[in-house]
Amino acid sequence: MFGLHRLEQIKENNLFSPYNPMIKDLLPEFSLGLSPMDEITTPEYRQICKSYGADVIFTEFVSSDALIRDVEKSYKKIAFSQEERPLAVQIFGNDEKALVDAALRVEELKPDWIDINWGCPMKRIAGKGAGSGILQDIPRMIKLTKAVVDNVKIPVSVKTRLGYDESDKPIVETAERLQDIGIQLISIHGRTKTQMYRGQADWTLIGKTKENPRLSIPVFGNGDIDSVEKFIEYKERYSLDGILVGRHAIGNPYFFLQCKQALKNEPVFNPSLQEKTEICLRHLHLSAQINGEERACTVMRKFYPRYFLGVRNFKPYKLKLLVSKTIEEVEQILSQMQADCN
Ligand SMILES: Cc1cc2nc3c(=O)[nH]c(=O)nc-3n(C[C@H](O)[C@H](O)[C@H](O)COP(=O)(O)O)c2cc1C
């Protein structure tokens, strides 16, 4: 029951609207989610990953400045279908007013929640104090996040990294401070800002964040999950509320299904070349419906090498796919590849 006392407490703390469910209530006991990836987790690819069992979906990040300037391309990136729920729209920025105004606009689109990116290490983002650039100034990260939490009615989450560099990894304390100002979920990539994507993700501090008895919000771990075995090992070892998969899900949307089958000790889906081709073509057609044929053929170029990773003698087909301009052309190349490589 939602007692009066609880309602008053919510109003006082302004933690979340009582009319919106909490993130916790939207998640299964354990979530296997699709990590946000710029120009990868497009509306069409998110739908495909969802169809293979991704429990939680994040859009790729969009700039708060672009949203408040009504940049159409940014709104296209975060357009979503009902089937993708629970879904979070991810925003980034470094200016308080722009972040709040963008969050208010995103709220009107009715995603399940808003995720703030405090993790991107790319120079064009972090160099301006957005993404993981903010990890040099945690009080500002808390202030900007609080401004968003206080101004929207839907829940807010944060995706971030362990800290700025090797000598500064305050994630356990940062997660607590973020919880105290009202975020409802934290996703942690086990690297620092200066590490970019180098070295190996360190999950021990992600585990410690989860173990903190003062932390009650869900904690998702992220970084370098690249096999079903590693997924199961890390799920068991760190007892997190969820794991996000990024790069290994590119061209491998059935990874979500494989992980779930393995958890249930069921035989794991091992697609034939024909099945991989069918999945890839489904992706291409969906992309064409959304983006038009020409753009779809361009967008798909970064996916082909991943869909057909490990296929012997793929190289000549890859070279043709990378310059293909029509669906018919792609279909012909793939059909020839199947005939030759099977
Ligand atoms: C191409 C690419 C684009 C990315 N774009 C985003 C993004 O928009 N937002 C975000 O929070 N993280 C982004 N990331 C980081 C991933 O979500 C994830 O944290 C990181 O890749 C580590 O997880 P993985 O080892 O499973 O890939 C991106 C990563 C890649 C490789």
Side-chain angles (χ1 to χ4, degrees):
M1 279 295 290
F2 221 69
L4 187 63
H5 172 69
R6 180 90 179 107
L7 256 177
E8 288 309 318
Q9 204 185 3
I10 288 160
K11 279 190 199 154
E12 250 175 48
N13 295 343
N14 193 19
L15 285 184
F16 59 91
S17 158
Y19 306 109
N20 284 302
M22 294 193 69
I23 293 181
K24 244 182 202 171
D25 300 333
L26 299 169
L27 302 177
E29 202 178 317
F30 176 86
S31 303
L32 173 57
L34 175 64
S35 209
M37 283 180 286
D38 188 27
E39 297 194 342
I40 300 287
T41 52
T42 55
E44 60 274 18
Y45 199 57
R46 297 191 318 250
Q47 279 181 44
I48 291 185
C49 290
K50 185 74 188 183
S51 74
Y52 284 103
D55 295 312
V56 188
I57 300 283
F58 290 82
T59 68
E60 57 192 296
F61 63 10
V62 281
S63 146
S64 48
D65 292 330
L67 291 176
I68 59 178
R69 278 189 285 111
D70 283 326
V71 175
E72 198 188 333
K73 198 173 145 200
S74 297
Y75 282 92
K76 279 190 176 161
K77 287 179 174 191
I78 58 175
F80 60 89
S81 61
Q82 298 307 311
E83 292 78 48
E84 290 178 64
R85 293 186 186 279
L87 167 133
V89 168
Q90 193 185 65
I91 59 173
F92 72 89
N94 63 349
D95 175 76
E96 182 170 324
K97 185 165 172 1
L99 272 169
V100 169
D101 288 350
L104 287 166
R105 285 171 180 234
V106 169
E107 182 172 39
E108 283 175 30
L109 307 173
K110 298 191 169 47
D112 292 290
W113 70 87
I114 293 171
D115 188 61
I116 306 179
N117 178 307
W118 295 132
C120 177
M122 280 179 337
K123 206 168 170 189
R124 72 179 167 94
I125 313 272
K128 292 185 187 147
S132 64
I134 204 134
L135 295 173
Q136 267 180 318
D137 188 352
I138 303 290
R140 184 164 167 77
M141 174 197 202
I142 303 293
K143 182 171 178 278
L144 298 189
T145 308
K146 183 173 188 309
V148 175
V149 171
D150 289 350
N151 280 284
V152 296
K153 294 187 191 70
I154 58 173
V156 177
S157 63
V158 159
K159 180 166 177 285
T160 188
R161 292 184 171 223
L162 302 177
Y164 193 79
D165 59 23
E166 196 49 36
S167 66
D168 177 34
K169 299 186 197 168
I171 188 63
V172 176
E173 190 204 325
T174 307
E176 221 180 286
R177 292 174 72 180
L178 286 166
Q179 169 180 271
D180 291 346
I181 53 100
I183 71 151
Q184 294 190 24
L185 162 78
I186 186 160
S187 307
I188 307 168
H189 175 188
R191 286 187 172 84
T192 62
K193 187 262 173 204
T194 54
Q195 236 183 320
M196 308 287 289
Y197 287 89
R198 287 186 295 268
Q200 282 189 346
D202 173 6
W203 283 61
T204 52
L205 280 175
I206 306 176
K208 288 218 168 77
T209 307
K210 175 65 193 167
E211 279 166 21
N212 176 0
R214 271 219 64 231
L215 201 80
S216 56
I217 56 170
V219 178
F220 286 178
N222 167 242
D224 299 350
I225 296 296
D226 55 8
S227 69
V228 169
E229 293 74 24
K230 191 164 179 181
F231 163 71
I232 291 181
E233 186 192 328
Y234 280 35
K235 178 180 183 294
E236 282 167 10
R237 191 186 303 166
Y238 296 105
S239 303
L240 301 169
D241 301 283
I243 286 182
L244 298 183
V245 181
R247 289 165 293 178
H248 194 64
I250 307 175
N252 203 12
Y254 40 84
F255 185 61
F256 301 97
L257 173 66
Q258 292 173 325
C259 289
K260 289 188 169 184
Q261 288 170 325
L263 281 179
K264 288 191 263 174
N265 282 322
E266 287 172 2
V268 169
F269 176 59
N270 181 15
S272 61
L273 182 56
Q274 188 184 336
E275 283 166 321
K276 285 183 184 176
T277 306
E278 283 163 9
I279 299 165
C280 176
L281 285 174
R282 191 179 138 215
H283 183 178
L284 171 66
H285 281 276
L286 204 50
S287 180
Q289 275 170 29
I290 294 174
N291 306 304
E293 182 171 358
E294 201 183 330
R295 170 99 188 111
C297 289
T298 310
V299 168
M300 288 299 292
R301 289 176 189 168
K302 54 169 82 88
F303 285 90
Y304 296 129
R306 308 298 285 251
Y307 271 114
F308 302 110
L309 193 73
V311 171
R312 276 202 295 140
N313 304 327
F314 176 58
K315 198 162 171 204
Y317 305 98
K318 181 171 107 178
L319 295 176
K320 286 185 187 160
L321 287 166
L322 294 185
V323 291
S324 57
K325 290 198 174 74
T326 64
I327 293 181
E328 197 186 343
E329 217 182 317
V330 174
E331 284 174 342
Q332 274 172 7
I333 299 165
L334 292 181
S335 133
Q336 188 62 50
M337 179 179 82
Q338 277 194 70
D340 295 347
C341 296
N342 251 337

